[in-house]
Amino acid sequence: MKNFKSNKLGIILSIILMIITVITVGIILYINVLPVKYLIALIIILLGFAAFVSVYQFKRRQKSKKLNVITGIGILMISILLIYFVNTFNFLNLVTRSGYKIQNYSVIVLKDSRYEKIQDISGEKLGYLENGDEGSKLALENITKEVTTTQIAKSDVISLSDDLFSNDLQAIMIENSYKEILNEEIENFSNNTKVIYEFSVKIKVDENSKGVGSITEEPFNVYISGIDTYGDISSVSRSDVNIVVTVNPNTHQVLLTNIPRDYYVTIPGTSGNKDKLTHAGIYGIDKSIGAVEDILDININYYVKVNFTSLEEIVDALGGIIVYSEYSFTSYIDNYYFQEGYNNMNGSQALAFSRERKSFAEGDIMRGRNQQAVIEAIIRKASSPSIIYKYNSLLNSLNGKFQTNMTSDEILELIKFQLNKNPTWNVTSITLNGVGSSEYTYTAGNQRLSVLIPDESTISNAKSLIKAVFDGKVLESSYGEVTSPSNPIKNIVTESNTNEKEEVKKEEKVENDVVNSVLQNEVIENNTVDNNITNEIINDVINDIDNNETIDNTVIDNDISNDVENEIENVGNSITNQV
């Protein structure tokens, strides 16, 4: 009692220290995230320090400012450690608990209509997409609670749009992924329509993984699905990033196989119907996985689903990454200038780099390779010893920003594996290729869309390399040693270069329209060509009249035919040159 009165503060501090230490040790043992050699060493250090300080505090008859400071510092350090492990515990409990998907719906009307809110379409015809999806049924029930309409089912999203513009329907209800398709495929769709009601439905999903026996001893495949949205990762959307990560933990080999978003594939559960791979994401992650498994003839053991927000925040939490760029270019998104070679990137820059395709002749193929380079940079940074200092911020950034069907035990095994062996991963990147075409798709119905017909030789090569990784072979790395990284510069946007980009977009659209027309055996209609021909013929006729000459219809017809043939030949040469 006398010692307590004399050293009251020191004894209170030592009691707090012991309590925090016991709680921390308990959490560490419960989570079991550390390899045994680190676990034993850490527990001995924590309990030993707390016992040593407490014994001295209780024995002292007078307070010691120096010892109290040491005790306070010990409390602070162990509290920080406790926060780290509590965050790990919370992260592991939340990250795999998806169990549902969110579908976001919009009710759309013509822009010049009198409808401004959902109640305004009472008694009117409301079109919706009938695809047997549970979300569509729930969405219709939601609408029925708000307003009474005549609900009319359509088989595809293009038919919905056509009937809206022809006034056969006064409003349409579509999931927002389909709305983005209409914005891409129907000229000025967004400018000529307006949204009068938005809502979301939540749907339970079954996630059955094909996990391996031991994730640190057996090779496995992970499907990375990158959806084209910000915000809630549970939202359904198109899968613009489709990368298979093949991992052999024994050889520390990682193979990244990129599959272009426009790959023309069969979507499981649609009676053999084909569509763009990106559209499979609209119907659920399981459809994307099934399509990828069919392409590569493999089992996808796990999946990881991310979006724009995920990438930005993960990269920033890592303290930035160093990414290899095959070319020097300025991104259309945010106008960042990236130099050929390695570049230091923050989250915003990494996202712009990953989304860019207009700057490259190979378009989406090159975008896929850039996305692989970003993944390689994340793997390199996340597996470096320095990441321990950013551990807390990294977990906070990941919380709620991605979904996976890996169990918490499997994630823990991977963390312990990396901490214990600290391997350097060898990363190899490949991409599937194909031939551009215009084909009917399951999603768009009777309207052809631009797709990529798979190149079987690149698929065969991917299958061989995946098997080689599973067999324990180490492949040649696609990335060299990081040297002299550059810092991306954000170019100033001026009216001239903005207009230049708009002109490029217009040219691309005209070129695509011409190519699609040729592919569909349709007649190429070019207003500029028609006007030039018409003006030339009229001038010839006027000159003939002025000269009192007889107008020969046969000659005029021949002139038109010759001019049309010349113009078509010129367009064909232009297309060839562009390709």
Side-chain angles (χ1 to χ4, degrees):
M1 180 63 71
K2 187 175 181 180
N3 284 355
F4 178 77
K5 291 181 180 179
S6 302
N7 191 24
K8 183 177 180 180
L9 178 60
I11 292 175
I12 292 174
L13 287 175
S14 66
I15 292 173
I16 294 173
L17 176 64
M18 284 299 299
I19 292 173
I20 291 177
T21 302
V22 170
I23 293 174
T24 302
V25 169
I27 291 289
I28 292 172
L29 289 171
Y30 182 77
I31 297 176
N32 191 28
V33 70
L34 294 175
V36 175
K37 61 181 180 181
Y38 294 129
L39 179 66
I40 295 174
L42 182 60
I43 291 176
I44 290 174
I45 291 171
L46 290 176
L47 292 178
F49 173 77
F52 177 80
V53 170
S54 297
V55 168
Y56 265 82
Q57 288 284 19
F58 275 94
K59 280 187 175 182
R60 291 193 66 84
R61 297 186 177 182
Q62 294 181 348
K63 64 179 180 179
S64 170
K65 185 177 180 180
K66 186 175 181 180
L67 186 57
N68 288 347
V69 169
I70 293 174
T71 307
I73 292 173
I75 292 172
L76 178 62
M77 297 297 292
I78 296 175
S79 297
I80 292 173
L81 190 64
L82 177 61
I83 291 171
Y84 268 56
F85 282 102
V86 167
N87 278 343
T88 303
F89 177 75
N90 292 334
F91 169 76
L92 292 171
N93 275 281
L94 293 174
V95 71
T96 58
R97 291 182 181 177
S98 51
Y100 64 88
K101 62 181 179 181
I102 295 175
Q103 291 184 341
N104 303 298
Y105 284 84
S106 296
V107 175
I108 301 173
V109 299
L110 294 179
K111 192 169 187 178
D112 57 1
S113 71
R114 62 180 176 82
Y115 312 119
E116 297 295 337
K117 56 185 185 296
I118 187 65
Q119 287 74 22
D120 293 342
I121 63 170
S122 177
E124 303 287 15
K125 295 178 180 178
L126 173 71
Y128 69 96
L129 192 61
E130 179 57 80
N131 55 11
D133 184 68
E134 181 184 357
S136 181
K137 297 176 183 177
L138 294 174
L140 288 173
E141 291 175 6
N142 183 296
I143 292 292
T144 302
K145 293 177 183 177
E146 298 292 332
V147 65
T148 301
T149 61
T150 301
Q151 297 175 351
I152 299 176
K154 293 293 177 179
S155 60
D156 64 85
V157 68
I158 300 298
S159 297
L160 278 177
S161 173
D162 290 344
D163 286 355
L164 177 65
F165 282 107
S166 65
N167 290 312
D168 290 338
L169 296 171
Q170 284 69 57
I172 60 174
M173 180 198 75
I174 56 174
E175 207 278 326
N176 284 351
S177 301
Y178 292 102
K179 184 174 71 173
E180 293 306 314
I181 293 174
L182 291 178
N183 286 337
E184 285 185 2
E185 302 299 336
I186 306 298
E187 186 174 3
N188 293 320
F189 179 83
S190 60
N191 293 332
N192 294 326
T193 59
K194 59 186 177 183
V195 176
I196 62 171
Y197 186 58
E198 294 180 293
F199 62 98
S200 300
V201 297
K202 196 172 183 178
I203 307 162
K204 289 184 178 181
V205 294
D206 294 325
E207 295 183 336
N208 299 317
S209 69
K210 302 172 183 176
V212 295
S214 173
I215 202 166
T216 59
E217 296 178 0
E218 300 175 38
F220 56 91
N221 291 310
V222 181
Y223 168 59
I224 297 180
S225 171
I227 61 174
D228 61 344
T229 63
Y230 290 93
D232 195 330
I233 190 62
S234 299
S235 295
V236 168
S237 188
R238 296 174 299 176
S239 183
D240 275 2
V241 178
N242 301 277
I243 295 176
V244 175
V245 184
T246 305
V247 182
N248 190 322
N250 300 307
T251 58
H252 311 146
Q253 173 67 51
V254 175
L255 174 66
L256 305 178
T257 304
N258 174 61
I259 309 174
R261 68 189 292 275
D262 289 342
Y263 236 42
Y264 197 47
V265 301
T266 300
I267 297 182
T270 61
S271 301
N273 288 291
K274 290 198 170 186
D275 206 332
K276 294 185 179 187
L277 177 58
T278 182
H279 291 169
I282 300 173
Y283 308 103
I285 189 74
D286 58 317
K287 303 300 183 186
S288 295
I289 290 173
V292 170
E293 288 182 329
D294 289 343
I295 295 169
L296 296 173
D297 193 23
I298 59 172
N299 282 331
I300 298 295
N301 305 108
Y302 310 100
Y303 79 83
V304 176
K305 182 181 176 184
V306 296
N307 63 7
F308 294 158
T309 306
S310 310
L311 178 61
E312 280 197 72
E313 297 195 9
I314 289 171
V315 171
D316 285 338
L318 287 169
I321 54 178
I322 301 176
V323 185
Y324 182 75
S325 176
E326 295 183 32
Y327 302 101
S328 296
F329 67 94
T330 298
S331 64
Y332 275 68
I333 300 169
D334 293 334
N335 293 280
Y336 288 113
Y337 175 69
F338 301 100
Q339 292 190 29
E340 180 182 351
Y342 282 97
N343 293 259
N344 284 308
M345 296 186 194
N346 59 27
S348 174
Q349 293 162 345
L351 179 60
F353 182 82
S354 299
R355 295 179 64 189
E356 183 59 37
R357 65 183 175 87
K358 296 182 182 296
S359 296
F360 312 114
E362 294 178 275
D364 189 53
I365 299 296
M366 190 63 233
R367 175 168 60 178
R369 294 212 293 268
N370 283 346
Q371 290 164 353
Q372 290 171 309
V374 169
I375 293 173
E376 185 274 337
I378 290 175
I379 292 173
R380 182 168 13 94
K381 186 66 174 285
S383 59
S384 65
S386 62
I387 198 60
I388 193 67
Y389 302 110
K390 300 179 177 67
Y391 179 76
N392 202 42
S393 60
L394 180 60
L395 289 185
N396 288 333
S397 72
L398 289 173
N399 201 351
K401 298 302 188 300
F402 79 99
Q403 283 185 344
T404 182
N405 59 349
M406 278 189 183
T407 66
S408 57
D409 286 342
E410 287 170 326
I411 295 174
L412 280 172
E413 282 301 309
L414 282 177
I415 294 174
K416 290 167 69 174
F417 176 80
Q418 186 64 39
L419 290 173
N420 190 33
K421 295 190 175 182
N422 192 30
T424 298
W425 297 90
N426 182 66
V427 181
T428 305
S429 293
I430 59 172
T431 186
L432 304 188
N433 214 325
V435 179
S437 182
S438 183
E439 304 291 342
Y440 295 113
T441 65
Y442 175 71
T443 301
N446 292 326
Q447 177 164 320
R448 292 177 184 265
L449 300 182
S450 297
V451 301
L452 200 64
I453 303 299
D455 180 343
E456 291 299 330
S457 64
T458 61
I459 293 177
S460 296
N461 179 59
K463 290 179 179 179
S464 298
L465 291 178
I466 291 172
K467 184 178 184 302
V469 174
F470 266 69
D471 290 342
K473 294 181 180 179
V474 176
L475 308 178
E476 182 179 354
S477 175
S478 299
Y479 307 91
E481 184 180 351
V482 177
T483 55
S484 305
S486 304
N487 294 313
I489 301 171
K490 191 166 187 177
N491 290 337
I492 299 174
V493 181
T494 63
E495 185 176 352
S496 60
N497 61 35
T498 299
N499 291 337
E500 183 181 344
K501 286 188 176 184
E502 290 301 319
E503 288 301 318
V504 171
K505 290 179 183 178
K506 289 179 182 178
E507 290 174 6
E508 288 176 347
K509 187 179 188 310
V510 170
E511 183 182 313
N512 289 335
D513 289 344
V514 172
V515 172
N516 288 336
S517 296
V518 172
L519 289 169
Q520 297 174 48
N521 296 317
E522 295 177 353
V523 177
I524 301 176
E525 297 181 357
N526 190 306
N527 291 332
T528 303
V529 174
D530 290 344
N531 289 335
N532 288 339
I533 295 172
T534 303
N535 290 335
E536 185 176 339
I537 299 302
I538 290 173
N539 288 334
D540 288 344
V541 172
I542 292 172
N543 290 333
D544 286 344
I545 293 173
D546 289 340
N547 296 325
N548 294 317
E549 296 177 355
T550 302
I551 301 173
D552 190 339
N553 290 333
T554 304
V555 173
I556 292 174
D557 291 339
N558 289 336
D559 286 343
I560 294 173
S561 298
N562 291 334
D563 286 333
V564 169
E565 287 177 4
N566 290 335
E567 291 298 336
I568 290 176
E569 183 178 355
N570 290 335
V571 172
N573 291 334
S574 175
I575 294 172
T576 303
N577 291 333
Q578 290 294 330
V579 173

